Amino acid sequence: MFVMMESARLEALHLFSDPATGLRAIVAIHDTRLGPALGGCRYLPYADEPSAIEDAIRLARGMSYKAALAGLELGGGKAVIMRPPHVANRAALFEAFGRMVESLAGRYVTAVDSGTSSVDMDCVARHTRHVTSTSAAGDPSGHTALGVLAGIRASAWARLGSDDLEGLRIAIQGLGNVGFALAEQLSAAGAELFVSDLDPGRVRLAEEQFGAHGVACAALLETPCEILAPCGLGGVLDENSVRRLHCAAVAGAANNQLASPEAGDQLEARGILYAPDYVINAGGLIHAALMHKNAGLAAITAHLSRIGQRLTEIYAHAQADKRSPARIADALAERLLYRV
Ligand code: NAD
């Protein structure tokens, strides 16, 4: 365990159990040098404890990098609750989790993530103030989409010489909370949309509302387009899929899009611009962090607009160094975190 912590440079790992509610939670605090560790709480079934712990550590590290590059005074952390096969009282389970977050005295601030909702965070908030994305704070997905839109414009500018999206072919994989909001914004900007989702109902809705072209899930990555926006699950860019892409740039919301760092190099070698996922999808974190500080909407919007700027800087750096934007983003984040 300590070897895994040390290789991820993880500060602390907390395990909590509450047999009365069935809660088994892991809180990974990656780094608090820039501020308290903020990161969502996943509520998913896991095959075993090591895979839940590994997930928490990997995700916590990603949050430190994301916060550092978004210019937030925050560290990175993540919580994973191992979802039991049956839970008698979900509210009681999240209340128990709230008591555990409170025991960390503000070193970790929790939020929604896969499998959790604002209603769950409302239960957490009964026992701690170290929680955001409650019903009162609001769902961050629309802000994530706004940040991705800014990132798509920056990517279009860098690769195509214009940030005008009118007539640009943009393929969106996944029409969930973020993907659908992004489709709406892109459609308003005049883009031609190609969309897929595991749920055919979401695709139909995008066809009706935005005149999007529905594409089979298996064919989406190969769709000829200017911009590919992965907004479903992670790991979609691997040696095999990168070979099949027909786009000028990849710029989407999904976390951990690269199956390995080498996939980023492969994109670079193919001349496909890659927007590092944790830079372009930081809008949700920015919203959650600033809402937690009671900042107004104007401050959030101003902060979101810096995502495009940050990407433009990373692209310039990558071009000058002849390295992939993913490697440049990692190096910049590590410099901010570790002063290396
Ligand atoms: P979501 O669960 O609401 O939506 C994901 C959608 O992708 C679902 O509709 C699902 O059916 C679809 N999907 C999954 N795999 C697919 C595939 N292979 N092909 C086509 N469709 C597929 O999730 P979300 O909140 O919209 O988040 C989307 C991604 O963005 C996730 O990777 C998430 O971690 C990341 N992200 C989200 C936020 C946020 O604010 N919600 C912030 C940062 C990053």
Side-chain angles (χ1 to χ4, degrees), residues 42 66 112-114 139-145 172-180 196-199 202 217-218 220 230-234 236 252-256 277 281-285:
R42 290 205 158 173
K66 189 185 292 202
V112 292
D113 204 300
S114 306
D139 183 342
S141 305
H143 291 83
T144 302
I172 306 177
Q173 182 186 49
L175 292 167
N177 292 323
V178 179
F180 202 84
S196 75
D197 196 286
L198 301 177
D199 175 357
R202 307 286 295 175
C217 284
L220 192 277
C231 297
L233 293 181
V236 287
N255 275 317
N256 303 318
D277 46 17
N281 74 14
L285 175 65

Side-chain angles (χ1 to χ4, degrees), residues 185-272:
Q185 294 161 11
L186 289 171
S187 157
E192 183 180 8
L193 301 180
F194 297 83
V195 299
S196 75
D197 196 286
L198 301 177
D199 175 357
R202 307 286 295 175
V203 174
R204 221 170 302 121
L205 219 55
E207 286 171 341
E208 286 163 16
Q209 292 191 15
F210 316 128
H213 310 284
V215 178
C217 284
L220 192 277
L221 293 179
E222 296 168 26
T223 305
C225 59
E226 278 74 40
I227 311 273
L228 168 69
C231 297
L233 293 181
V236 287
L237 301 171
D238 59 20
E239 196 189 338
N240 195 21
S241 63
V242 169
R243 223 181 292 133
R244 294 186 284 123
L245 301 182
H246 278 94
C247 59
V250 177
N255 275 317
N256 303 318
Q257 290 170 38
L258 298 176
S260 67
E262 289 72 30
D265 301 336
Q266 198 187 338
L267 283 165
E268 183 70 5
R270 281 210 52 205
I272 297 173

